[in-house]
Amino acid sequence: MTDGKMGDRVQCLGVANRLGVDAEERTIRPGKPWEWFMPWGPVPPAHRPDSASSPIAPPFPDLAIATGRRMVAYLKAIKAASGGRTFTVFLKDPHTGSSAADLIWVPRHDRLRGDNVLVSDTGPHPLTQEALAEAAANRPAAWDALPAPRLGLLIGDPVARARDRRAALERFLREVDHAKAESGSIIVTQSRRTPEDVMTALRARLAGFPHWIWSPEEDNPYRALLGFCDMLAVTADSHNMVSEALFTGKPVFPVITEGLNPKLARFLAKLEADGLVRPFSGSLAPYSYEPVDATALIAEAIQQAMRERATKA
């Protein structure tokens, strides 16, 4: 259950898929004024479990996974209405304490801790090694002509929190100049959040250098990029994208942006201290580490917790 945000959806679906369960996705938007009271609730009258039009009406599932502050009250409503039968999981800090669900996962840079709280550096995602290999095998044909080493550049919004957007954009482009000197070619994909002026400036900066930039009119080859490129650079404004890049086991170089969220800054500092990422502004030489997979960790914790509850029933 999510309110439809893509970053939340992929995390929930990633965990459900890794569990191998028969899953149904519910997109729920409580609307005003109810969302003003979230995460505490209550859910709107029309959304209560005893309402025929409710998105959480019975039959209740064995397992409910949710994320996003608007979903906390819905998860607790399912738990209560099912008489405690539904095992509930919440991804990220619910901001209502550890009683929000039977099991809660939080990234390490969040402060919530408890006996039922699972903590990891990276977050859940929908990727598998098989899916990445299949996507890479079906990559755009133009990529084969690009010289190695190929750098995959994953862009969110590198100027979102900058006080001076023009200066921040120029700093980002200087980082791109550095990457051109350290790589044979660059393959670029952007997110829905990427401003067009950033892409326009990047296209101009890469002119004359071997590169390929995704056009939003085509299917996004994001997974193919992860599976095919020799190394990855990720703008540091996205915990999800950094987590997914680290699942590949390839060198990952976060692109630090101005005004970076302090939580993300702590996250990246921990990864660098653990030898998982290296600065984009430094050498882009190859290095190795074991692929990081929080999705498997979360799925295993859910299975273990549900087995333990079944033995006590």
Side-chain angles (χ1 to χ4, degrees), residues 13-54:
L13 291 170
V15 173
N17 290 340
R18 193 66 63 90
L19 286 166
V21 296
D22 186 13
E24 181 178 339
E25 183 179 4
R26 297 286 175 91
T27 300
I28 305 173
R29 298 183 177 92
K32 297 175 182 177
W34 308 101
E35 63 186 34
W36 297 344
F37 307 109
M38 302 302 180
W40 299 100
V43 301
H47 286 184
R48 292 172 186 164
D50 57 359
S51 171
S53 61
S54 172

Side-chain angles (χ1 to χ4, degrees), residues 2 7-16 65-69 75 89-94 101 103-107 110 118 124-125 298 302:
T2 73
D8 290 342
R9 290 184 61 237
V10 298
Q11 288 193 335
C12 287
L13 291 170
V15 173
I65 306 172
T67 190
R69 68 177 181 86
L75 201 63
V89 176
F90 194 83
L91 305 179
K92 297 186 292 195
D93 188 347
L103 180 70
I104 299 172
W105 166 81
V106 297
D110 281 347
L118 179 66
H125 55 78
I298 296 168
I302 292 171

Side-chain angles (χ1 to χ4, degrees), residues 142-152 179-187 209-211 228-231 284 286:
W143 292 6
D144 292 330
L146 295 173
R150 302 175 183 93
L151 172 69
K180 289 162 60 177
E182 294 275 328
S183 59
S185 58
I186 298 177
I187 298 174
F209 181 80
H211 72 281
F228 179 73
C229 288
D230 303 296
M231 52 189 176
L284 303 189

Side-chain angles (χ1 to χ4, degrees), residues 57-186:
F60 299 113
D62 299 309
L63 170 66
I65 306 172
T67 190
R69 68 177 181 86
R70 293 176 177 85
M71 296 302 102
V72 175
Y74 288 89
L75 201 63
K76 297 183 81 169
I78 288 176
K79 184 70 174 180
S82 69
R85 188 183 69 81
T86 298
F87 188 87
T88 56
V89 176
F90 194 83
L91 305 179
K92 297 186 292 195
D93 188 347
H95 299 289
T96 60
S98 60
S99 64
D102 293 310
L103 180 70
I104 299 172
W105 166 81
V106 297
R108 196 175 306 280
H109 55 259
D110 281 347
R111 295 181 178 178
L112 182 67
R113 297 293 184 271
D115 292 340
N116 64 327
V117 179
L118 179 66
V119 180
S120 67
D121 290 314
T122 61
H125 55 78
L127 304 177
T128 65
Q129 297 297 344
E130 294 76 14
L132 291 182
E134 181 180 353
N138 293 287
R139 62 189 176 271
W143 292 6
D144 292 330
L146 295 173
R150 302 175 183 93
L151 172 69
L153 179 57
L154 312 173
I155 303 175
D157 186 352
V159 298
R161 297 170 63 94
R163 294 181 179 179
D164 185 335
R165 289 185 87 260
R166 181 176 298 179
L169 178 55
E170 186 54 39
R171 280 192 293 274
F172 170 66
L173 295 174
R174 287 198 297 270
E175 297 269 26
V176 172
D177 289 339
H178 168 69
K180 289 162 60 177
E182 294 275 328
S183 59
S185 58
I186 298 177

